Structures are given as structure tokens and as C-alpha cells.
Amino acid sequence: MTEVISVRFRSGCKNYYFDPKGTQVEMGDQVIVETAQGPEFATCTQGNHEVEDDAIVRPLCSMLRMATESDRRTVEYNKKREGEAFDICERKIADHGLEMKLVNVSASFDGSKIVFYFTADGRVDFRELVRDLASVFRARIELRQIGVRDEAKMVGGLGICGRPFCCSQFLDGFLPVSIKMAKTQNLSLNPTKISGTCGRLMCCLKYEQNAYEDAAKRMPKLESFVQTPDGPGNVKSVDLLRETVKVSLDSAGPNDLFKTYRSCEIKLLRNGKGSREGIEIPDRPARYVEEREEEGFEMPVLSTPFYMEHALEDAPVREKMSHESGSDGKPRRKHRGGRRRSGSKPQDAAPPPRRPDEGRPKAAKPQQPRPEGKSAGAEGGDTKRRRPYYRNRRRSKGGPPKGD
């Protein structure tokens, strides 16, 4: 066992082991370590811990010291220098007419070396470009051609899942992905659906490949001859994720749909295509019954009781409402249109506005002569009596309403 610390450079995802030389380093501390390219600024991702000797690449580089405020200012200065170098290099590329795309610029901690990362379709002769850049920056210039996956890792972005790229977040290296993985997982073979932003197959196809391969070993192949609870048939579709199969029964009609069974409900008689001759058909397996817990009805618990007094606990709901509504025991009723049943008016209510013609004597209306021998209230007369309007009162059966 060897005591080491884990660090990361810049915004990389890969951890590197360094010898702390007896210094206690905590996670998140910034340190200066010795590399093959010289001293570099790094961030500790895991403090002092022990690892197996086989996990270490000899010789193990050591940590120089803890980073100081001066080292942090140097890092900020190098970032500004990288931005300026990116703009100058793009202008030089355009002047020389080179078919290359500049992706990123990285300067060493001591400023003695600047690395330019670019992508191109083929080989590019950039010897003249290197001379021009060396005369401008007075440092060692290095140009590295990278692939589209490395470009996506450096630039970053969002995938079709809505999350940042896996390669720029946590992947230490690029995983080998093949089109066979998409076939095993029953995915669409459309390149636009299974390809990432970089144009290559998505790295996430590798995540669940082992689970699909394990399920494929337990599930039958297409056109396998199986025995089901409803009789023998051939497998027409396999769902590895749910571990279910769709079977075309021999007893089914031409227009009948395929029936779905779980893997535990079928018996495999022949795996894959072939002849049924000499195959003995066993008894039908039992049907799978899913056990479900009985859902009991639970009464809701009210935080505040409906009644306010314990004496009204067994009283009807109407008495509880009336007791809460008023002290006189009468329930409160809502009035339509703001009208009140009683003739009393609130004392603080404002009187209605007075009309201009109010208070003036009204002109007498000419009276029509009545026919002789007949009164307005006589029964059997030709003149119809106007039906009175009773507000909030009902007319009694025995005669005119009270109060007339």
C-alpha cells in the first residue's frame, strides 16, 4: 500500500496520483505538483489515502507545495494569455489559408510552453504557422490534432438528454461503443437518434450493455418454440428490459393478436428457428399471479376538530354549524343581492341619493268612468282585477293576504 493524493488539472475528469511527501492535504485544496512537462497547478479531489501498488505507475511524481496567492494570480494571468493566443492563432490560420479549426489553447504554469489543439479532415502542413506563433509569443509552440470526441470534451455542451456531456463531466476516458450495442438494446438504428453531438455513437450505450447481455442469456431468441399456460407457440418479440415475450399460439386464429407472457410463465422447447420433429410437449406451466397487498381505507386525521366544544361532540352537524354561526343559536343565512329579510337597516348605512323630482306634488291622473251597476271588485265583471304582488309572503288560501 502506498499513500497518495488524487488531483485533477484544470477542468479535466481524470484523477492522477501524486506523492504528498508527508503533507496532509484535504479535498478541494489547490497544490503545485511536478509533471513531465514541468510544475503544474492542480486541485485535490481526494486527500491522503492508500492505494494498491499495482494501481500506481512508477515512478510516482511528487507534490511540490501548497498553492499560494501568487500562484493563483499566475493562473489568472495564463488564462488571459490563452484568450489572446486563441485570437492571434485564428488570424494566422486565416492568413496562411489552412483548412483547420482551432479548438482550444493551453499554456503551461510557468509560461514556457503553449499548446494549440485543432481539428482537421486530413493532414495539415503548419510549419510556417508554428514559426509565426513562436516569433509572437517567444515560447515553445506545439500544435496537436485531436478528434471530434476530444473536441466535444473540451468545448462541452448539452446532450439530447438535457444534461451536460458525460465526457466533460465524469468519464475518465472514451469507452468503445459499437452498433452491436444498439441492436442488443433494441434501439432504433437511425444514426441521428443514437449519435451524440460529436457525430459518434453515444457513450451512454455502454452503461447498460452488461445488463442487456445478462438478460439476453435468460430470454429465448426469436422464433423459439415454447410452451405457455395457453398452449404451445412461437416467440415473435422479446422485451429484454421487462423480460417479457410475445407468443403466437398455435391455437390462435389468423386475426388474433400475440399474447404477452413473462419469462417465468414459459418453457423453452427449442431455442431459435428449427423443426418441431421429435420435440415432446410437456404440461402447461402455471400462470404467474402477482401478489398485491390489500389497500385499506384510512380515515383522514383532521388537525383541527369540526366542533369547538366537547358538549357538541355527539350533536348533529346542523346544531354544530348553528352554534358556531351565532350566539343566539340561529344559523346564519346568506342573502341574495344584499337584501335583508327584516325591515331594519344598519344605522351607519348611507341614505340613498335623492331624486330631483322627489317632494313635488304629483299630477292627478284622469279617472276612467266605471260602468253602471258594476264595481271594480265585483265578481263576474268585465274588468279584470290586477293581481297584487306580494314580496316575501304567500297568499293564504282562505282570502286576501294578511296586512291588506
Side-chain angles (χ1 to χ4, degrees):
M1 303 293 287
T2 306
E3 184 181 8
V4 297
I5 59 171
S6 301
V7 300
R8 285 185 182 181
F9 298 99
R10 297 179 181 269
S11 58
C13 304
K14 189 174 182 180
N15 295 327
Y16 296 89
Y17 294 141
F18 286 88
D19 186 5
K21 293 294 184 180
T23 306
Q24 293 296 326
V25 184
E26 300 294 337
M27 184 180 62
D29 293 344
Q30 296 172 338
V31 296
I32 304 297
V33 296
E34 182 66 30
T35 64
Q37 307 298 331
E40 288 292 339
F41 183 87
T43 303
C44 179
T45 56
Q46 188 175 2
N48 299 61
H49 62 283
E50 294 183 351
V51 296
E52 298 291 340
D53 296 337
D54 300 338
I56 300 175
V57 179
R58 300 291 180 177
L60 184 63
C61 298
S62 60
M63 183 190 74
L64 298 179
R65 66 180 188 276
M66 301 292 291
T68 60
E69 191 64 29
S70 178
D71 297 332
R72 297 185 183 90
R73 287 195 298 266
T74 302
V75 173
E76 294 296 330
Y77 172 76
N78 291 337
K79 288 182 180 179
K80 295 180 181 179
R81 192 180 181 190
E82 291 172 359
E84 296 175 358
F86 191 93
D87 298 336
I88 294 174
C89 185
E90 280 190 332
R91 291 197 298 267
K92 295 294 183 180
I93 292 174
D95 295 341
H96 289 81
L98 300 177
E99 295 181 358
M100 54 188 295
K101 177 185 176 182
L102 187 62
V103 177
N104 195 11
V105 179
S106 175
S108 60
F109 177 73
D110 54 3
S112 61
K113 181 181 178 180
I114 302 178
V115 183
F116 296 87
Y117 300 93
F118 70 95
T119 58
D121 296 335
R123 295 179 62 87
V124 180
D125 186 8
F126 47 77
R127 289 176 293 182
E128 294 295 333
L129 177 62
V130 173
R131 295 191 185 98
D132 292 349
L133 294 175
S135 62
V136 173
F137 298 106
R138 301 294 179 179
R140 183 183 174 184
I141 303 300
E142 183 178 346
L143 273 76
R144 293 182 184 178
Q145 185 174 357
I146 60 176
V148 289
R149 281 193 166 186
D150 296 294
E151 179 185 3
K153 181 177 182 178
M154 289 183 178
V155 177
L158 298 178
I160 59 176
C161 59
R163 295 182 58 85
F165 293 158
C166 299
C167 56
S168 63
Q169 289 291 312
F170 58 87
L171 288 183
D172 296 342
F174 295 107
L175 305 175
V177 185
S178 62
I179 194 66
K180 182 181 177 181
M181 297 181 181
K183 294 180 180 180
T184 305
Q185 300 176 23
N186 295 329
L187 299 177
S188 173
L189 300 182
N190 188 356
T192 58
K193 294 184 177 180
I194 60 177
S195 299
T197 309
C198 59
R200 301 293 188 265
L201 294 176
M202 293 186 296
C203 298
C204 55
L205 295 178
K206 181 68 175 178
Y207 297 164
E208 300 178 356
Q209 180 63 19
N210 296 334
Y212 277 94
E213 291 178 355
D214 181 67
K217 296 178 182 179
R218 303 191 304 269
M219 301 296 293
K221 299 180 181 178
L222 294 179
E223 298 299 334
S224 297
F225 182 44
V226 296
Q227 174 71 306
T228 68
D230 299 325
N234 291 339
V235 176
K236 296 299 181 181
S237 176
V238 179
D239 191 344
L240 297 178
L241 191 61
R242 297 183 177 87
E243 296 192 4
T244 58
V245 294
K246 291 185 177 181
V247 181
S248 175
L249 300 176
D250 296 344
S251 59
N255 298 328
D256 294 343
L257 300 177
F258 301 148
K259 288 192 174 182
T260 305
Y261 299 96
R262 295 177 179 267
S263 59
C264 59
E265 292 180 325
I266 61 175
K267 288 184 178 180
L268 183 62
L269 305 181
R270 187 199 68 230
N271 195 9
K273 297 181 180 180
S275 175
R276 297 187 180 182
E277 297 181 0
I279 298 178
E280 182 180 357
I281 300 177
D283 297 336
R284 297 182 180 183
R287 194 178 299 274
Y288 175 78
V289 179
E290 185 176 0
E291 297 181 0
R292 296 183 179 180
E293 298 181 359
E294 297 182 358
E295 298 180 358
F297 179 75
E298 299 181 358
M299 294 294 295
V301 179
L302 301 178
S303 59
T304 305
F306 180 77
Y307 45 84
M308 301 301 296
E309 296 184 5
H310 296 285
L312 298 176
E313 182 175 356
D314 299 331
V317 177
R318 191 168 184 178
E319 295 183 10
K320 298 174 185 176
M321 295 178 62
S322 62
H323 188 273
E324 292 183 357
S325 59
S327 59
D328 53 353
K330 296 182 180 180
R332 298 179 180 178
R333 297 183 180 179
K334 297 182 179 180
H335 307 284
R336 298 180 180 178
R339 299 178 180 178
R340 300 174 178 271
R341 296 196 60 177
S342 60
S344 60
K345 298 181 180 179
Q347 298 180 1
D348 55 348
R354 185 176 181 181
R355 294 180 299 179
D357 56 347
E358 190 174 354
R360 299 180 182 177
K362 297 182 180 180
K365 296 182 180 180
Q367 297 181 358
Q368 297 293 338
R370 298 181 180 178
E372 298 180 358
K374 295 182 179 180
S375 62
E379 296 181 1
D382 297 338
T383 305
K384 295 183 179 180
R385 183 179 178 182
R386 183 179 178 183
R387 186 176 183 181
Y389 174 75
Y390 305 99
R391 179 182 296 177
N392 298 331
R393 290 180 295 176
R394 293 184 179 180
R395 186 174 181 180
S396 59
K397 297 181 181 181
K402 299 179 181 181
D404 292 353

